[in-house]
C-alpha cells in the first residue's frame, strides 16, 4: 500500500511540474526528488525527473538538474 500511495503522489507531483505557477512547479520537482532519495528502487522516479528535462521550460530544467 505504501508504494502505491507514493506512486500516486509522484504522479500527481509530476503533473504539478507542468503547472504555469513556477513556485508550485519547483516545489513539486523538489518533492519528487525527496521521495526518490527515500526509495530503495529509485529508477522509476529518476526516470520521471529526467522526463522533466524534456519539458523545455528553463525553471523545470534547472530544478530537475539540481535534484538529479
Amino acid at each position: 500500500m505504501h508504494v502505491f500511495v507514493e506512486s500516486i503522489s509522484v504522479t500527481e507531483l509530476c503533473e504539478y511540474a507542468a503547472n504555469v505557477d513556477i513556485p508550485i512547479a519547483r516545489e513539486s520537482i523538489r518533492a519528487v526528488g525527496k521521495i526518490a532519495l527515500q526509495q530503495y528502487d529509485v529508477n522509476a522516479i529518476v526516470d520521471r525527473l529526467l522526463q522533466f528535462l524534456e519539458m523545455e521550460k528553463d525553471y523545470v530544467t534547472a530544478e530537475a538538474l539540481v535534484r538529479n
Side-chain angles (χ1 to χ4, degrees):
M1 179 73 170
H2 183 64
V3 173
F4 178 72
V5 171
E6 285 180 355
S7 176
I8 292 172
S9 299
V10 169
T11 299
E12 188 169 341
L13 288 167
C14 289
E15 291 175 13
Y16 290 144
N19 194 319
V20 294
D21 186 345
I22 293 173
I24 290 175
R26 288 180 188 250
E27 286 298 323
S28 66
I29 295 167
R30 289 181 192 139
V32 171
K34 289 177 184 177
I35 291 170
L37 292 173
Q38 296 174 359
Q39 298 294 310
Y40 292 110
D41 181 20
V42 299
N43 291 334
I45 297 176
V46 170
D47 286 342
R48 292 209 184 225
L49 287 169
L50 293 173
Q51 288 173 358
F52 291 142
L53 301 177
E54 298 171 4
M55 293 179 76
E56 298 181 3
K57 294 181 181 179
D58 291 340
Y59 61 92
V60 172
T61 301
E63 201 62 48
L65 289 173
V66 169
R67 293 294 124 200
N68 286 321

